[in-house]
């Protein structure tokens, strides 16, 4: 590849990292469904490592875009995924660039969808946990006796009681 070589090298690396991150997101979905909190912690650490690598590659991509813009005599803002095809040396290179860009777009779209699904799974889990905790920590009514001597106890009237004293 001609002037596109540095840019496409970085874009290829970005594509590989995002595909690997997509595989991690798939594993995360399965872990969230199973409720394996230990494995979820490991996945979180993996995701952080991917984010750091992707941030580094993104900085390299911006530098490659500035270099390409300088070589092409255009402003750096003019170098976008859709405009890269202009700088291809021939049709074969243009086709390869187009495939890589489309593959990266579809990978990013799938990653966004999967992240949205994982976010929903996490929110559902949190709602379930909050509901469960509130049921277990509901304040029980203390049995008292009215003026007639009858008990006001929820135990005797079939009322709800808590398993745990939330003030303990």
């Amino acid at each position: 590849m001609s002037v596109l070589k540095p840019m496409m090298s970085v874009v290829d690396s970005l594509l590989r990292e995002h595909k690997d991150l997509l595989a991690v997101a798939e594993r995360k979905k399965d872990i969230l469904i199973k409720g394996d909190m230990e494995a979820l912690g490991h996945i979180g650490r993996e995701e952080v490592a991917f984010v750091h690598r992707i941030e580094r590659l993104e900085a390299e991509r911006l530098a490659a875009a500035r270099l390409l813009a300088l070589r092409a005599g255009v402003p750096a803002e003019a170098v976008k995924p859709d405009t890269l095809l202009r700088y291809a040396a021939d049709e074969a290179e243009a086709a390869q660039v187009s495939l890589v860009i489309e593959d990266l777009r579809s990978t990013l779209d799938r990653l966004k969808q999967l992240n949205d699904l994982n976010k929903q799974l996490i929110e559902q889990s949190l709602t379930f946990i909050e509901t469960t905790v509130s049921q277990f920590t509901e304040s029980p009514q203390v049995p008292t006796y009215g003026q007639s001597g009858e008990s006001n106890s929820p135990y005797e009237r079939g009322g709800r009681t808590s398993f745990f004293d939330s003030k303990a």
Side-chain angles (χ1 to χ4, degrees):
M1 287 189 192
S2 56
V3 295
L4 286 177
K5 184 175 176 150
M7 173 65 80
M8 293 313 298
S9 175
V10 174
V11 171
D12 283 334
S13 296
L14 278 167
L15 177 60
R16 280 191 305 277
E17 288 295 323
H18 280 94
K19 283 187 173 188
D20 291 345
L21 183 58
L22 182 60
V24 169
E26 289 282 355
R27 286 193 349 248
K28 183 177 183 177
K29 178 187 74 167
D30 296 337
I31 287 169
L32 286 168
I33 291 170
K34 290 178 187 173
D36 185 352
M37 293 300 113
E38 184 176 334
L40 187 60
H42 293 297
I43 288 286
R45 287 187 286 280
E46 280 184 63
E47 287 175 324
V48 168
F50 275 104
V51 167
H52 290 302
R53 287 194 301 270
I54 289 170
E55 285 174 344
R56 181 185 51 78
L57 287 169
E58 185 60 20
E60 288 179 29
R61 187 196 63 78
L62 290 172
R66 286 191 297 273
L67 178 63
L68 178 61
L70 182 65
R71 287 181 179 171
V74 297
E77 302 82 40
V79 178
K80 297 180 180 179
D82 295 331
T83 63
L84 288 180
L85 297 177
R86 293 182 200 161
Y87 309 110
D90 54 32
E91 286 191 31
E93 187 179 53
Q96 184 181 4
V97 169
S98 182
L99 283 173
V100 170
I101 290 171
E102 188 54 39
D103 197 8
L104 182 58
R105 277 189 180 135
S106 66
T107 300
L108 290 173
D109 287 344
R110 176 68 182 131
L111 189 57
K112 183 183 180 324
Q113 292 169 354
L114 203 48
N115 281 339
D116 289 343
L117 175 62
N118 286 344
K119 179 182 173 188
Q120 289 174 356
L121 289 170
I122 290 169
E123 288 171 352
Q124 288 173 358
S125 294
L126 287 174
T127 300
F128 174 75
I129 290 168
E130 289 171 353
T131 302
T132 303
V133 167
S134 72
Q135 288 176 347
F136 282 119
T137 58
E138 226 174 54
S139 297
Q141 293 181 354
V142 178
T144 57
Y145 293 93
Q147 289 182 343
S148 64
E150 292 182 22
S151 173
N152 292 331
S153 171
Y155 300 103
E156 293 180 11
R157 290 184 284 127
R160 288 184 68 182
T161 59
S162 173
F163 289 108
F164 300 106
D165 183 359
S166 63
K167 294 181 184 175

